[in-house]
Amino acid sequence: MSHPERTPAGASESTADSPRLSQPDRPWIMRTYAGHSTARASNELFRRNLAKGQTGLSIAFDLPTQTGYDSDEELARGEVGKVGVPISHRGDMAALLDGIPLGEMNTSMTINATAAWLLALYVVVAEERGVEPARLQGTTQNDIIKEFLARGTYAFPPGPSMRLIADTIAYTVHSVPRWNPINICSYHLQEAGATPVQEIAYSVSNAIAVLDAARERVGQELMGEVFGRISFFVNAGVRFIEEHAKLRAMAILWAQIGRERYGVQDPRHLRFRYGVQVNSLGLTESQPENNVQRIVLEALAVTLGRDARARAIQLPTWNEALGLPRPWDQQWSLRIQQVLAYETDILEYPDIFDGSTVMNGLVDELLTGAREEMAAVAEHGGTLEAVPYMKAAMVDSQRERLRRIEDGEQVVVGQNRFTESERSPLTADAEGGILVVDPAVEAEQIDALRRWRSQRDQAAVDRALAELARVAREEDPQANLMAPTIAAARAGATTGEWAATLREVFGSYRAPTGVGDAAAPAHDEELERLRAQVAHLQEQLGRRPKILVGKPGLDGHSNGAEQIAVRARDAGMDVVYEGIRLTPAQIAASALQEGVHVIGLSILSGSHLELIPAVIAALRDAGVDAPVVVGGIVPEQDIEPLRRAGVAAVYTNKDFEINRIMGEILDLVAERAAQPAAAQPAPA
């Protein structure tokens, strides 16, 4: 099972007459997930965090970087530097890592579709500083299947995406042996609604698909080394006893698969190695101070039991349900880890759950459920073929979770119970207790990008990208894309150019939404009232009311949009939901063509003040007269500007009652229909 770096073998074991270890374990790697605005601003933040006692880096990239677009492309509008740092070329990567000892640093990069590219930039910058690839240690998340299921930052179709992952694994096993080439990410599966059983089953099934693809490139003789470099990035919710059992179950299942499917025998290779960020889904906008104790309790799930302790931890901040955290907020989360590691006694004991009948029973229960669900995935043709099945299952699980919260069956303190509250001084400043990125950052980044392009050797870039395209067209499993990717990074190519070259070869892709396949709920009184409201409105309109649910920009967090779409469908409305990553023009064209009566827009990336007015302008230009409602992470101070831009209603994380939201949306449609001057939309 997983454990942190320890003292020499046997030195930490307990003695016969003491329940304690002979000396405490070393703490896990402590990180904060950080990056924003520009490479230089993020570098300053990294250095400050390291000075505060952080022991590893965890890089957050902005959405254009994650999805393979340069900062000056249309889809990048409003998203540059918002949820992470923009990295367009090796110059940006060099600035990001300035002064950081890459030969000693353990760096985690939360990057998936463009993981091969960002790893190449990291390798090239390290080489320029005299650090050989063999000395580098860290992780690229590089898990594309969970992007199709939960996070949405994919760039290429499933097959080519798996090829990129396998090529990265083959390259690192030979050239960067201390690097974890993939972090199988169950974290976002839980954020998208997965139960503990689903989180185990889908992430382990995902790992099997990755290992099967890698075996074609490295051969059986290296599968032990490959298996030993696969790590996981997991989620831990506030039900921390069950969450700890989940991790023990994953460790047992992982070792079994290694032995039985891949012939791995070395216990070091069979170890379940994972890092963690504890649950962000359960953080609330209401009474956000409660999030501190939630984070502390969730950290216990991944530290309390020695035999399933995380190797690396990054904790969210108390204000992530409000917006971007400030350096001070991240410091608070780092201090939580440090108090846990250095003030408590959790590192002084052997595994405290050893022999626990409760824990053993929970583990067995989760293993049984996970194996059954893995069998269902296999029956659907394996992980890649089963993406629609898994997506629909998670949408259903998320709906059930939200129903329990709406009905009060699942208590969320400060949200659906104990809601009386004093005003929090933590949010009393002008920015509402969050970091607000200067809108000028995007223009500055675009100017810097264009200067980079004008000063490089364009002929060398063209040759490198042509070679990348040539290798991408090869069907031989030994035609590894990492070599031409690294060559393109050295030549000065950009993130958008690298991705565009591969899109031209591989094509584009839109992942399933899970909305159409989600099961209809059983009888529900609130839902019946909504259906009656829809029926009355249908008589008024002459046809069923129709809603368009849109995700403008690059934000791939689609949970809220999916749940609104599913609830609207269950209430009897016609629903238009085409998934994520839409331009304002595309949303307007769809609204016109479909003749919708109301438009719901969802953004969680902080780009709402730029993108929502752009969508409203596009709707007006197209002649669409329908109310627009907005949902997502919208700070209080941004609500009035959105209303002035023409938004009819704004819903934030504190608005958890979806039936109420749907009722208010239907009221908006009825009000608009009753206005004689309003031109009612009809299908084009």
Side-chain angles (χ1 to χ4, degrees):
M1 291 187 182
S2 174
H3 52 70
E5 295 181 26
R6 294 181 178 166
T7 48
S12 292
E13 298 308 312
S14 59
T15 59
D17 57 351
S18 173
R20 295 173 177 82
L21 299 171
S22 59
Q23 55 182 305
D25 282 334
R26 296 175 186 170
W28 52 89
I29 296 171
M30 298 184 190
R31 296 184 172 121
T32 53
Y33 183 51
H36 66 85
S37 301
T38 66
R40 295 203 177 278
S42 297
N43 174 259
E44 293 172 6
L45 178 60
F46 289 171
R47 291 195 193 197
R48 290 201 303 272
N49 286 345
L50 291 170
K52 294 171 184 173
Q54 182 175 304
T55 54
L57 291 182
S58 180
I59 303 175
F61 297 98
D62 74 353
L63 288 173
T65 304
Q66 291 186 51
T67 50
Y69 295 99
D70 283 334
S71 299
D72 58 351
E73 297 188 52
E74 181 184 9
L75 272 170
R77 179 182 176 183
E79 306 280 19
V80 177
K82 286 288 174 62
V83 301
V85 57
I87 299 295
S88 292
H89 46 73
R90 59 177 167 78
D92 284 342
M93 184 66 84
L96 179 69
L97 302 172
D98 184 37
I100 292 172
L102 299 184
E104 290 77 46
M105 184 56 58
N106 190 300
T107 302
S108 172
M109 294 193 281
T110 302
I111 197 72
N112 294 286
T114 56
W117 174 247
L118 272 297
L119 176 59
L121 292 175
Y122 194 87
V123 167
V124 168
V125 168
E127 287 179 339
E128 289 175 345
R129 297 182 186 172
V131 180
E132 293 298 318
R135 292 177 56 197
L136 299 177
Q137 53 185 324
T139 303
T140 35
Q141 192 166 99
N142 206 15
D143 179 359
I144 206 63
I145 295 176
K146 69 93 178 174
E147 297 299 324
F148 299 144
L149 289 172
R151 180 62 184 82
T153 64
Y154 52 81
F156 315 112
S161 295
M162 287 296 286
R163 175 185 172 182
L164 276 166
I165 292 171
D167 284 358
T168 306
I169 292 171
Y171 164 74
T172 54
V173 116
H174 290 290
S175 301
V176 200
R178 301 175 72 189
W179 195 267
N180 300 323
I182 186 169
N183 213 208
I184 302 294
C185 183
S186 73
Y187 175 86
H188 284 107
L189 302 184
Q190 185 179 126
E191 297 288 295
T195 65
V197 163
Q198 290 171 332
E199 188 179 344
I200 298 169
Y202 297 165
S203 60
V204 174
S205 295
N206 182 358
I208 289 171
V210 168
L211 286 163
D212 287 351
R215 183 157 52 182
E216 296 179 3
R217 285 159 174 77
V218 302
Q220 182 59 40
E221 66 278 5
L222 285 176
M223 282 308 293
E225 296 293 332
V226 169
F227 198 89
R229 296 315 304 178
I230 304 295
S231 62
F232 285 73
F233 185 68
V234 304
N235 203 328
V238 77
R239 292 171 56 83
F240 66 91
I241 302 300
E242 183 179 46
E243 293 292 318
H244 185 77
K246 176 188 74 180
L247 296 166
R248 299 174 86 92
M250 291 179 81
I252 292 169
L253 191 57
W254 185 241
Q256 178 189 2
I257 288 168
R259 286 190 300 268
E260 296 178 2
R261 188 179 181 100
Y262 299 105
V264 179
Q265 300 301 323
D266 190 329
R268 296 171 301 173
H269 294 156
L270 291 169
R271 184 181 301 154
F272 179 65
R273 302 162 63 251
Y274 79 94
V276 66
Q277 175 167 313
V278 303
N279 187 277
S280 292
L281 180 66
L283 302 183
T284 61
E285 180 183 358
S286 303
Q287 299 181 21
E289 63 276 7
N290 294 335
N291 295 329
V292 177
Q293 51 264 35
R294 291 184 179 113
I295 292 166
V296 173
L297 292 169
E298 289 164 354
L300 290 178
V302 297
T303 57
L304 200 53
R306 187 179 192 246
D307 286 352
R309 186 171 291 146
R311 296 173 65 89
I313 299 174
Q314 60 191 41
L315 299 180
T317 63
W318 68 275
N319 56 351
E320 285 193 16
L322 308 177
L324 289 175
R326 301 157 300 189
W328 183 85
D329 307 312
Q330 293 187 325
Q331 174 184 298
W332 195 353
S333 288
L334 175 61
R335 295 294 185 246
I336 289 172
Q337 292 201 59
Q338 291 168 331
V339 169
L340 197 56
Y342 297 112
E343 292 192 28
T344 77
D345 58 351
I346 63 170
L347 295 176
E348 297 176 11
Y349 302 100
D351 190 81
I352 64 171
F353 293 108
D354 187 26
S356 165
T357 54
V358 170
M359 186 57 65
N360 290 342
L362 274 173
V363 169
D364 289 344
E365 182 180 291
L366 290 169
L367 280 171
T368 298
R371 287 173 175 137
E372 290 174 356
E373 191 61 22
M374 288 177 68
V377 171
E379 288 171 4
H380 280 80
T383 310
L384 285 178
E385 295 297 326
V387 164
Y389 162 76
M390 292 186 287
K391 179 67 176 178
M394 290 195 303
V395 169
D396 279 340
S397 295
Q398 184 80 299
R399 178 172 56 187
E400 174 59 18
R401 185 187 75 86
L402 292 174
R403 184 201 62 76
R404 292 196 307 271
I405 293 173
E406 280 190 88
D407 292 350
E409 294 176 21
Q410 181 172 325
V411 174
V412 181
V413 173
Q415 181 166 296
N416 66 357
R417 194 170 177 185
F418 312 114
T419 55
E420 292 297 319
S421 176
E422 302 295 332
R423 180 170 174 80
S424 172
L426 293 173
T427 60
D429 64 8
E431 286 75 35
I434 59 172
L435 174 69
V436 178
V437 175
D438 188 342
V441 163
E442 185 164 319
E444 293 169 5
Q445 181 67 17
I446 289 172
D447 288 344
L449 173 62
R450 289 172 178 168
R451 283 196 304 274
W452 173 269
R453 291 196 192 114
S454 69
Q455 294 169 3
R456 66 188 180 178
D457 183 343
Q458 186 61 45
V461 171
D462 292 342
R463 288 193 298 271
L465 294 176
E467 176 63 9
L468 176 68
R470 186 195 67 79
V471 177
R473 293 187 184 97
E474 293 284 339
E475 296 183 1
D476 184 351
Q478 303 310 310
N480 195 303
L481 282 163
M482 280 304 299
T485 293
I486 290 172
R490 287 197 187 103
T494 67
T495 299
E497 291 167 341
W498 176 85
T501 299
L502 294 182
R503 281 190 178 99
E504 188 173 338
V505 177
F506 297 149
S508 298
Y509 179 73
R510 294 194 73 81
T513 67
V515 170
D517 296 327
H523 176 74
D524 179 280
E525 289 185 7
E526 288 295 324
L527 193 56
E528 291 302 324
R529 279 194 282 270
L530 283 177
R531 287 170 177 161
Q533 192 176 356
V534 168
H536 178 74
L537 190 53
Q538 182 173 348
E539 292 180 6
Q540 185 179 359
L541 296 171
R543 60 189 177 96
R544 288 208 296 181
K546 182 181 285 192
I547 183 172
L548 182 151
V549 179
K551 291 282 297 177
L554 294 174
D555 169 37
H557 284 109
S558 57
N559 301 340
E562 289 159 0
Q563 292 304 316
I564 289 292
V566 168
R567 193 66 56 93
R569 182 206 67 181
D570 292 343
M573 297 181 75
D574 285 334
V575 178
V576 180
Y577 177 56
E578 297 172 348
I580 62 172
R581 213 177 299 175
L582 300 170
T583 66
Q586 288 172 324
I587 291 172
S590 182
L592 179 65
Q593 180 177 357
E594 295 285 348
V596 300
H597 298 98
V598 62
I599 297 153
L601 304 177
S602 168
I603 298 180
L604 285 79
S605 65
S607 59
H608 46 274
L609 288 182
E610 294 86 359
L611 289 176
I612 299 300
V615 173
I616 291 174
L619 290 168
R620 288 172 178 162
D621 290 344
V624 176
D625 180 24
V628 174
V629 299
V630 172
I633 298 178
V634 180
E636 185 71 27
Q637 65 270 21
D638 291 350
I639 293 177
E640 185 54 35
L642 289 176
R643 289 188 179 278
R644 288 198 302 269
V647 173
V650 177
Y651 298 99
T652 69
N653 285 348
K654 67 179 181 295
D655 298 302
F656 64 94
E657 299 161 313
I658 298 184
N659 285 332
R660 173 181 64 83
I661 293 171
M662 290 307 308
E664 292 173 359
I665 289 173
L666 290 167
D667 287 342
L668 283 173
V669 175
E671 290 170 11
R672 183 61 59 92
Q675 296 173 8
Q680 292 306 307

